[in-house]
Amino acid sequence: MAIRLLSMISGVKQFHKLQSVVTRNQISDVPKGHFAVYVGETEKKRYVIPIAYLNHTSFQELLQKAEEEFGFQHPMGALTIPCNEDAFFHVTSRLNTCL
């Protein structure tokens, strides 16, 4: 599981490098130190969250769900987390108090 998590973190870092090359001449709405995710079971909503969330077990559990459902091919073109927004808000609100 640790190897899989490291692989996912590496994938996010590679995605951000690629994204910075593509958007170098464009204004990006994702500030440094953050990344975009899509959340939802049916209708997906986009959120920009701190990269520091990747270090927390509760967020890693959400990433594991995403990997199980989508692998590394996400339908929205970015990380998609297949949970309802209430569960996502519960996890991220607890993480906000930790940061």
Side-chain angles (χ1 to χ4, degrees), residues 65-77:
K65 281 185 181 180
E67 181 186 12
E68 289 170 3
E69 184 157 333
F70 301 113
F72 292 104
Q73 299 296 320
H74 293 270
M76 301 298 291

Side-chain angles (χ1 to χ4, degrees), residues 33-78:
H34 292 73
F35 65 104
V37 296
Y38 287 91
V39 177
E41 293 171 322
T42 54
E43 185 177 327
K44 310 288 190 247
K45 227 174 157 183
R46 185 174 185 263
Y47 295 92
V48 176
I49 58 175
I51 288 177
Y53 285 4
L54 294 172
N55 295 324
H56 295 274
T57 305
S58 54
F59 193 78
Q60 291 169 5
E61 290 170 3
L62 293 178
L63 291 177
Q64 187 174 10
K65 281 185 181 180
E67 181 186 12
E68 289 170 3
E69 184 157 333
F70 301 113
F72 292 104
Q73 299 296 320
H74 293 270
M76 301 298 291

Side-chain angles (χ1 to χ4, degrees), residues 6-22:
L6 291 174
S7 174
M8 289 171 50
I9 291 171
S10 175
V12 169
K13 288 179 182 178
Q14 289 176 351
F15 172 77
H16 279 287
K17 286 179 184 177
L18 177 61
Q19 182 182 22
S20 69
V21 169
V22 171

